[in-house]
Amino acid sequence: MSQDWPDFSTRLGRVLAELAPGERPVILVVMDASEPGCMVQYICGGDGGGTWAEVASNKSLPKHRRLSKDDERRLSAAGWDKPRGSRWSVGQLPNWSTDRFSDPKADHGALADMSVAALRDVLRVASPAGLMYDAFDQETGEPVTLGALGVPREPR
């Protein structure tokens, strides 16, 4: 399916909003298909719902894709918080993050726009055609299919 960034942002916002109130936590990772470490990842639902989101930092990006100071300013301007540990990796691989969408009724369209800014403007993914995703139940590891994203699932 061919789509542009605004269409992808709309699709991502809808998917995140649908997952946020879920009783079981779902992990969603949206990544550059040619460089999976260049990604935005989310924990959606569970423990009262809402969404925690992260963008890869220099501690996990390949050397040739590391963030410049300008890239870091772009992430801050888009609303991402500087690395400080995370819900996944306390102190180990701190990523850029946001917890401003912890309310299941938060504007997940805004989170999708922040994510697109990170993928397109900072991680330099040329178009949504260069993306893939992985999604699974955090507790069971069972795959979660999210065809509404309009990008392919990462091969397992």
Side-chain angles (χ1 to χ4, degrees):
M1 168 181 285
S2 178
Q3 60 181 316
D4 57 15
W5 285 114
D7 179 52
F8 177 73
S9 184
T10 299
R11 289 170 173 273
L12 178 60
R14 286 183 187 144
V15 166
L16 293 171
E18 288 174 13
L19 293 173
E23 290 182 22
R24 300 189 58 89
V26 171
I27 305 292
L28 168 60
V29 183
V30 177
M31 66 199 94
D32 183 335
S34 66
E35 193 86 62
C38 297
M39 56 77 193
V40 180
Q41 60 187 0
Y42 315 86
I43 297 178
C44 305
D47 294 332
T51 303
W52 170 271
E54 294 187 352
V55 176
S57 73
N58 283 340
K59 295 207 177 195
S60 58
L61 287 170
K63 287 183 182 183
H64 66 281
R65 297 285 291 268
R66 297 250 167 102
L67 306 177
S68 68
K69 293 294 179 193
D70 284 340
D71 292 332
E72 291 177 346
R73 282 190 280 277
R74 283 185 195 93
L75 286 172
S76 288
W80 294 99
D81 298 323
K82 290 182 180 184
R84 57 178 164 73
S86 76
R87 190 167 160 183
W88 282 293
S89 55
V90 178
Q92 294 177 1
L93 292 174
N95 290 316
W96 290 80
S97 63
T98 183
D99 61 1
R100 288 187 287 280
F101 300 89
S102 59
D103 183 330
K105 294 179 183 170
D107 180 3
H108 284 82
L111 177 56
D113 289 343
M114 288 171 59
S115 300
V116 164
L119 290 163
R120 180 191 60 212
D121 303 335
V122 175
L123 298 174
R124 292 175 184 74
V125 179
S127 78
L131 296 173
M132 65 181 173
Y133 81 94
D134 191 14
F136 54 92
D137 182 301
Q138 184 182 24
E139 295 172 0
T140 67
E142 289 294 315
V144 174
T145 300
L146 300 172
L149 278 176
V151 298
R153 178 186 250 317
E154 178 183 35
R156 288 191 167 229

